[in-house]
Amino acid sequence: KPMIIRWIIFVVPTIVGTADGVVGANLKNEIVPSISTTVSSQDGRNRPHNYKILKDEIKYTGWRQIIRRTVLAPPRPHHGEKVIEFDIIDQSKSRNDLENSSRAVIVFAWNSSTKTATLIREYMPACHRILNGLAAGIVEGDKHEDDLVAARFELEEECHLGGGTWHRLTEEGISVPMDKYVVTEVTPHLVIDPCHVPDPRPLDDEEDIEIIHGVTEEEIRQMIREGDMNLVSAWACLLALDRLRELGEIK
């Protein structure tokens, strides 16, 4: 297989407290080459097809949006073109720009000294259960300059952590569709050795989160096997554990 050289930027923070309690960082960037022998499959995201969006209509707006998407499907053997309607979900609370996918972030926090992760435990209304998971949230244009800023905010709000060395767990510029019927795309991040934030940003009003420190790799895998984590958190955990193995953090 062809050898592809990727560059990983390691961020070494010096954490300082500020007057308003928000943690800041003096960052020094060091670029270290990482060699991968895998072949990129980014072209798979843009496979040509003949489906055409005829219109999008917002049918409901609340904590989420329901969009009625009308699509013209291409002809198949023994069938002509067909108009199909789908109800799709936008995870944004409200958004008028339907041409661009809404974005979300999810963060796996790792302590290299204890070789453990920090998870959260919270009520999930759809399954009506309290499950484990990762800090995550929507990228909000009025609050976040980009996906990484959103990830840092979510980590601080939900895990009371900041700083650390950050790794994007997808290829640069790539986010992943959450589901077949969800327009929101997710970018997963790994952060190694973040520090405690004594006065973190507040949670949203509807959030009630318990922070779980000291979770081992095996405990995480057991949670995934037992269904004690939703699919998105499980996916991000497995990506993070793979990256930690590549970095020599775990065997």
Side-chain angles (χ1 to χ4, degrees), residues 113-184:
S113 298
T114 62
K115 304 300 182 186
T116 60
T118 296
L119 305 184
I120 62 173
R121 186 173 293 160
E122 62 178 331
Y123 174 68
M124 300 195 178
C127 62
H128 192 50
R129 296 187 183 113
I130 294 176
L131 299 179
N132 293 305
L134 301 181
I138 297 295
V139 180
E140 301 176 47
D142 58 340
K143 289 173 57 177
H144 309 131
E145 298 174 14
D146 54 34
D147 290 8
L148 183 57
V149 171
R152 291 180 184 275
F153 279 21
E154 293 299 333
L155 183 71
E156 182 179 325
E157 291 169 14
E158 299 188 1
C159 293
H160 301 177
L161 296 172
T165 303
W166 287 76
H167 302 262
R168 186 188 184 103
L169 294 175
T170 55
E171 301 295 340
E172 188 62 35
I174 296 298
S175 55
V176 178
M178 185 177 290
D179 180 81
K180 180 178 179 179
Y181 297 104
V182 178
V183 299
T184 307

Side-chain angles (χ1 to χ4, degrees), residues 69-82:
R69 172 162 291 176
T70 305
V71 175
L72 179 63
R76 294 182 295 170
H78 312 297
H79 295 282
E81 291 183 329
K82 183 167 57 175

